[in-house]
Amino acid sequence: RRKAMLLLKKKRYQEQLLEKTENQISNLERMVQDIEFTQIEMKVIEGLKIGNECLNKMHQVMSIEEVERIIGETQDAVEYQRQIDELLAGSLTEEDEDAILEELNAITQEQMELPEVPSEPLPEETP
């Protein structure tokens, strides 16, 4: 009976030790996951930091006034081209348009001489 009590106490102690060990392993696994997640967060924050630095440099290079000036110049150029197109479209007579179409047909119907295709195989590139 005394030996059985001793063995039961030993068994109980081993079970408690096993439970503590399992809890410690579980805590370690949680800590590893937290560390991995923190590392990912650090990479994201570093990426955001680099992105913000790039944006600030771009803003220093190009100001709002510069962008407005470029947009204005582009609009002016588009308007100028539109005026040229209107002038050209309005100044052509029907005979001019017929001559243009005939010239276009002549150009598209001409046989174009193309260079000969090489027959030897292409050299292989080494990676």
Side-chain angles (χ1 to χ4, degrees):
R1 180 177 169 102
R2 203 169 158 203
K3 199 171 187 180
M5 275 293 270
L6 185 62
L7 287 173
L8 287 174
K9 284 182 182 181
K10 189 174 181 181
K11 178 185 171 198
R12 179 77 172 175
Y13 173 76
Q14 293 290 334
E15 287 174 348
Q16 288 176 349
L17 189 62
L18 182 62
E19 187 177 325
K20 284 182 183 178
T21 304
E22 286 176 351
N23 285 338
Q24 288 177 345
I25 289 173
S26 178
N27 286 339
L28 286 173
E29 287 174 346
R30 259 187 262 119
M31 286 175 61
V32 167
Q33 288 175 351
D34 290 345
I35 290 171
E36 288 174 347
F37 185 72
T38 303
Q39 288 174 334
I40 291 170
E41 284 179 328
M42 287 175 57
K43 287 180 183 178
V44 169
I45 290 171
E46 186 65 26
L48 289 172
K49 181 180 171 185
I50 291 170
N52 282 337
E53 289 172 1
C54 289
L55 281 175
N56 287 333
K57 287 179 183 177
M58 288 175 60
H59 291 156
Q60 289 173 358
V61 170
M62 187 168 283
S63 65
I64 291 177
E65 293 81 18
E66 180 74 12
V67 172
E68 288 174 345
R69 182 187 64 77
I70 292 170
I71 289 173
E73 289 175 358
T74 303
Q75 288 173 343
D76 292 344
V78 168
E79 178 62 25
Y80 184 75
Q81 184 61 45
R82 188 187 60 75
Q83 290 174 0
I84 290 173
D85 292 343
E86 285 177 2
L87 287 173
L88 289 174
S91 66
L92 294 178
T93 64
E94 194 171 313
E95 292 173 357
D96 292 333
E97 287 185 23
D98 289 340
I100 290 172
L101 285 175
E102 285 178 29
E103 187 177 348
L104 176 63
N105 286 334
I107 291 173
T108 56
Q109 302 219 348
E110 286 181 10
Q111 285 288 338
M112 295 177 50
E113 290 207 21
L114 299 173
E116 290 189 30
V117 178
S119 60
E120 63 270 355
L122 293 173
E124 290 188 28
E125 287 189 31
T126 56

